[in-house]
Amino acid sequence: IQNTFRTRGLMVCIAESCTGGLISHLLTGCPGASSFFDSSVVCYSNESKRDLLGISTELINKYGVISEEMARAMAVSVRKARNTDFSLATTGNLGPDTMEDKEAGLVYAAVDHKGGTVSRQLLFNGGRALIKLRASMASLELLFDTIKSSE
């Protein structure tokens, strides 16, 4: 992980909702993480998405918090606030109940960088902890794929 960032001189910041800080935990577990990891915000509630990331109430009301639009807005907002090379954002429903008419296990991840914003819809089964881990790993994969394709 660290070689992907260090050899390219890149910095990343994270905005996590459903993954609750797990992605940040995984990244900061790498030796020398301070050379590539800028910051993270865990914004689980709608209020924190508005207050910490500046996500509009209109976007929340129109698309909901479990949406591709939300993941993309979170990624754009956190990268703009921190001025990093890349940002990664996650939002979704870990379950077990349906939320916003979205099934358990539905997750959206988005990466923002100077070339634009990419996003991915993910769907996992299993319990909350397993979905959270799978979503975190798949989101990191999206980040690395985006870094490689942006070169």
Side-chain angles (χ1 to χ4, degrees):
I1 292 173
Q2 61 268 33
N3 288 339
T4 299
F5 290 102
R6 277 195 216 152
T7 58
R8 294 166 175 86
L10 301 173
M11 292 296 286
V12 64
C13 62
I14 313 289
E16 298 185 67
S17 184
C18 65
T19 50
L22 183 55
I23 294 170
S24 301
H25 173 75
L26 293 170
L27 289 176
T28 58
C30 297
S34 60
S35 68
F36 64 85
F37 184 78
D38 175 77
S39 57
S40 172
V41 59
V42 176
C43 43
Y44 214 72
S45 70
N46 291 357
E47 293 77 18
S48 66
K49 288 174 181 68
R50 283 193 300 259
D51 298 345
L52 298 175
L53 295 177
I55 305 297
S56 72
T57 302
E58 292 79 20
L59 188 139
I60 293 170
N61 291 339
K62 183 173 183 178
Y63 299 106
V65 293
I66 304 168
S67 65
E68 181 179 16
E69 293 82 4
M70 177 58 67
R72 293 173 72 88
M74 290 169 63
V76 168
S77 178
V78 73
R79 191 173 87 82
K80 182 179 177 184
R82 297 303 308 143
N83 194 31
T84 57
D85 301 295
F86 287 84
S87 64
L88 172 62
T90 60
T91 187
N93 179 10
L94 298 180
D97 300 322
T98 300
M99 228 178 107
E100 294 182 355
D101 294 325
K102 309 286 174 64
E103 64 187 303
L106 179 63
V107 175
Y108 293 92
V111 173
D112 186 62
H113 61 103
K114 68 180 178 181
T117 308
V118 296
S119 55
R120 190 174 286 167
Q121 177 182 309
L122 309 162
L123 185 60
F124 304 102
N125 55 19
R128 287 179 66 85
L130 184 56
I131 293 170
K132 186 176 184 179
L133 177 61
R134 288 178 173 167
S136 296
M137 298 304 291
S139 297
L140 284 170
E141 183 179 335
L142 175 62
L143 175 62
F144 295 132
D145 288 349
T146 305
I147 290 170
K148 289 176 187 173
S149 68
S150 70
E151 295 177 332

